[in-house]
Amino acid sequence: MNYGVTSRKGFYLDLFYVIFFDYLILLIGFYAFTSTVEYFFKELLGVFGITKYILWDMQDVSFLIQFLVVFLLLDLLQFFGHFLFYRIDLLWKFHKIHPAQEELGFAFTRHFHWAEYLTFKPLLYLPFMTLNFSVSEFIAIYLWVGYGFTFFSHCNVRVPWKWMNYLLITPETHYWHHAKNRPEGRRYAVNFASTTTIWDHLFGLFYLPQEDTLSPDLGIDDQKNIPHTFIGQMIHPFKELFDTQKKKHSPQSVKKLKKK
């Protein structure tokens, strides 16, 4: 992509997102909400008389096995969650703040709606809870596995990654995830990988054109509706939800339902 690091569209807003998420959301909110999820899940199990929820105590196995299981499990969960954010309309209203950007760079990696981090992300802890990992250990794992790769995948670097594209998430493949010009017949995005591309290959969602003339056209179809300010982007999903409910209960919609 032919634009500068700091001169690209939205760079300073993205930089604010990095500060906002890494210091307020990840360091404070993420831990608090994950602990809340743990508490209520244990209470729910207690209602059904379930007191033993550890299915496999990972603390008793070697570090190598722990690493492989944790890495693949977290990678699969993030892949599946990412996929759902594109397929479920309610989730898409919040997630599309991220792919709406037309120019990407390293700072863009934290350009998400806060609701995505504080509702969906803490739920990823539940499988790790059954493996006897504490909230602190889970958050350390989450940051360690995904932190560097998310910055890397959004970088605007002109490097041919060649065989690495088929093993790990790279800017070359992830830019196609953010593209509006999707492959023919693909209604939704491709390349949902968080770290490895194994799940994209397994589920037929990997895409990397071989033609040198093709390049990704970044953004989303309703690009013009996304605000350009932080506050505007935080409010936008709730406004869309309100407008959707308003249309459903409008006199015209009620008449159509009665006719059916």
Side-chain angles (χ1 to χ4, degrees), residues 40-244:
F40 281 107
F41 186 65
K42 286 181 178 179
E43 289 295 310
L44 179 63
L45 292 177
V47 171
F48 295 97
I50 301 173
T51 56
K52 296 181 179 180
Y53 52 83
I54 297 176
L55 303 179
W56 180 18
D57 191 348
M58 291 291 293
Q59 308 297 336
D60 294 335
V61 301
S62 67
F63 172 78
L64 180 60
I65 295 177
Q66 282 190 41
F67 174 83
L68 289 174
V69 171
V70 166
F71 180 86
L72 291 174
L73 177 59
L74 183 57
D75 199 43
L76 173 61
L77 290 172
Q78 292 209 102
F79 165 84
F80 185 61
H82 197 181
F83 178 79
L84 291 180
F85 270 100
Y86 277 80
R87 289 302 185 101
I88 299 175
D89 187 57
L90 173 63
L91 299 180
W92 171 246
K93 290 184 189 306
F94 289 90
H95 183 71
K96 68 179 175 180
I97 297 299
H98 181 71
Q101 186 79 328
E102 295 175 289
E103 296 180 359
L104 306 187
F106 75 95
F108 178 72
T109 187
R110 290 293 178 265
H111 200 127
F112 287 94
H113 195 280
W114 62 266
E116 186 170 335
Y117 265 87
L118 298 187
T119 54
F120 168 72
K121 299 291 185 182
L123 292 175
L124 296 178
Y125 168 65
L126 295 181
F128 288 89
M129 178 179 156
T130 66
L131 299 177
N132 200 23
F133 284 101
S134 67
V135 171
S136 298
E137 288 172 325
F138 164 72
I139 292 176
I141 292 166
Y142 177 84
L143 295 177
W144 185 82
V145 172
Y147 198 85
F149 273 96
T150 52
F151 275 99
F152 168 64
S153 63
H154 293 92
C155 283
N156 177 26
V157 289
R158 301 167 184 84
V159 177
W161 298 101
K162 298 183 180 179
W163 59 269
M164 280 185 63
N165 288 318
Y166 299 91
L167 294 177
L168 301 171
I169 184 174
T170 66
E172 199 169 348
T173 57
H174 197 66
Y175 267 52
W176 279 106
H177 171 73
H178 283 266
K180 287 186 290 186
N181 52 333
R182 293 180 287 271
E184 186 176 350
R186 295 288 184 97
R187 180 183 173 191
Y188 301 98
V190 293
N191 302 343
F192 290 90
S194 171
T195 307
T196 71
T197 60
I198 181 174
W199 313 115
D200 283 315
H201 289 298
L202 283 175
F203 294 102
L205 294 169
F206 182 83
Y207 175 74
L208 183 64
Q210 301 303 313
E211 300 89 340
D212 294 334
T213 55
L214 289 177
S215 60
D217 179 19
L218 306 181
I220 58 176
D221 294 334
D222 58 338
Q223 188 77 38
K224 64 180 185 299
N225 297 324
I226 305 297
H228 297 290
T229 65
F230 176 77
I231 298 299
Q233 290 176 2
M234 293 299 100
I235 295 173
H236 183 70
F238 298 105
K239 182 177 180 298
E240 278 203 333
L241 285 172
F242 176 79
D243 291 341
T244 300

